[in-house]
Amino acid sequence: MSTIIAPNPYLPRIATIKEITVENEARDIKTFQIVLDEDHGGFDFSCGQFAMLSVQGVGESPIGIASSPLDRDFLEFTVKRYPTGLLTSALHDLEDGDSLRVRGPYGRPYPMEEMEGKNVVIVGGGFAVTTLRSTIKYLLDKSNRSRYGDITVIYGARNPGELIYKQELKRWEEMDGLAMHITVDRGDENWKGREGFVPAVLKEVAPSSENAFVLVCGPPIMLKFTMVPLRELGFGPDRIITSLERRMSCGVGKCGRCNVGQKYVCKDGPVFTYQEVQELAEGIF
Ligand SMILES: Cc1cc2nc3c(=O)[nH]c(=O)nc-3n(C[C@H](O)[C@H](O)[C@H](O)COP(=O)(O)OP(=O)(O)OC[C@H]3O[C@@H](n4cnc5c(N)ncnc54)[C@H](O)[C@@H]3O)c2cc1C
Ligand code: FES
């Protein structure tokens, strides 16, 4: 009789860094493109999921997957370094060719199948747009584009130096079939684009809520003020999809570190509808 051994969800796989992109002027946000070492198998995931990244001897943290699930040859993670953050500082000290460990993917993804045939509005603020970038790349892929309706993106940062994915933003701005609205809270002498907070720009752009889903990620204060125009535009709480961040340890619903009310963000989330967020606990945002 043969015994089937379940894969160990805690087992990290080894990966090598292929490319590091510095995303912003402050140099505290970098995108790491990594490739799993040969005998470490594939890494199938869906938009909105995260992985646990670790540097040996330092620690481990959850990081959203920023590449598209259709990019089969590599994974990308965009990481902000916190001066006192052990893992993010260690990651930022790594160079091309160095190795790190990755386990996952974990968590509930965005409802990509439910969104088929619908218009998609994407609202992002700050550097919390990583999994939204994964989603935009997935939606824009030739193999997927006809399965979704109009795509509207509203993305804001505090100032031009804090905008990330600049090359891609430029490409997306020039693309047909994608309405891009980039804004900064305050421009500088070189900034010729839009100025204004994300909720105000959303109000001005006023994407239709008819047959549409909206995905929204950003700092809690942005989320709080973005919900008001979204509701005014007629987006129902079950059509507003967001992602929560909590401190995590196991990433698989076992340790209880990441609970909000009765739910574990690592397993039941990180993606939740606004309706679910409201039911979980009052005042999350
Ligand atoms: C599902 C999920 C997805 C995530 N995706 C990303 C991602 O794509 N990129 C990314 O950079 N991070 C992401 N995070 C956040 C990241 O996991 C945390 O910032 C993590 O704590 C960093 O680990 P660390 O060891 O460097 O810092 P820690 O040692 O855990 O923290 C050190 C100190 O840094 C500060 N700090 C840490 N995190 C935050 C924060 N979020 N806001 C403000 N101050 C903070 C605090 O002062 C903290 O005491 C995600 C978190 C979750 C739950
Ligand atoms: S991180 Fe352990 S239960 Fe969520």
Side-chain angles (χ1 to χ4, degrees), residues 188-222:
D188 57 22
E189 63 280 10
N190 299 318
W191 179 251
K192 300 201 171 43
R194 192 191 287 261
E195 280 186 54
F197 294 114
V198 165
V201 174
L202 173 65
K203 220 169 166 166
E204 198 185 313
V205 172
S208 170
S209 57
E210 182 110 11
N211 194 36
F213 272 88
V214 57
L215 310 185
V216 50
C217 284
I221 188 79
M222 187 208 96

Side-chain angles (χ1 to χ4, degrees), residues 10 16-17 23 28 51 66 75 100 124 126-127 133-134 146 152 157 171 175 177 184 199 202 212-213 218 235 241 269:
Y10 297 105
T16 301
I17 297 177
E23 296 286 357
D28 63 353
L75 293 167
L100 52 79
F127 88 101
R133 182 237 197 181
S134 165
S146 61
T152 305
R171 266 205 314 278
M175 264 177 122
V184 295
L202 173 65
F213 272 88
F235 286 93
I241 317 289

Side-chain angles (χ1 to χ4, degrees), residues 28-30 48-52 58-66 76-92 106 127-131 165 243-248 257-258 265-266 269-271:
D28 63 353
I29 302 179
K30 291 181 180 175
Q49 288 193 293
F50 68 93
M52 298 296 283
V58 176
E60 196 179 47
S61 282
I63 303 290
I65 306 172
E76 284 174 333
F77 298 91
T78 300
V79 180
K80 181 175 172 72
R81 170 188 221 143
Y82 291 100
T84 54
L86 290 177
L87 192 265
T88 54
S89 292
L91 276 176
H92 271 244
Y106 298 127
F127 88 101
V129 297
T130 58
T131 57
Y165 306 134
S243 187
L244 296 184
E245 264 194 29
R246 285 294 178 275
R247 293 278 172 151
M248 290 183 182
R257 181 110 196 256
C258 66
V265 172
C266 65
V271 168

Side-chain angles (χ1 to χ4, degrees), residues 139-157:
L139 292 171
L140 291 177
D141 191 271
K142 275 196 203 103
S143 61
N144 280 333
R145 189 62 198 90
S146 61
R147 290 161 53 201
Y148 298 92
D150 296 339
I151 303 172
T152 305
V153 177
I154 297 168
Y155 167 48

Side-chain angles (χ1 to χ4, degrees), residues 158-175:
R158 273 193 293 201
N159 56 61
E162 290 198 9
L163 290 169
I164 62 172
Y165 306 134
K166 288 194 182 73
Q167 299 298 329
E168 257 153 6
L169 293 181
K170 210 180 278 173
R171 266 205 314 278
W172 291 341
E173 274 190 305
E174 288 160 6
M175 264 177 122

Side-chain angles (χ1 to χ4, degrees), residues 13-19 32-41 43 71-77 97-102:
R13 288 179 270 173
I14 298 172
T16 301
I17 297 177
K18 288 293 168 200
E19 199 179 320
F32 298 84
Q33 187 178 94
I34 67 169
V35 175
L36 290 176
D37 288 3
E38 248 169 50
D39 51 351
H40 286 261
F43 198 97
D71 294 327
R72 308 289 301 173
D73 299 336
F74 58 84
L75 293 167
E76 284 174 333
F77 298 91
D98 285 343
S99 63
L100 52 79
R101 280 146 207 267
V102 53

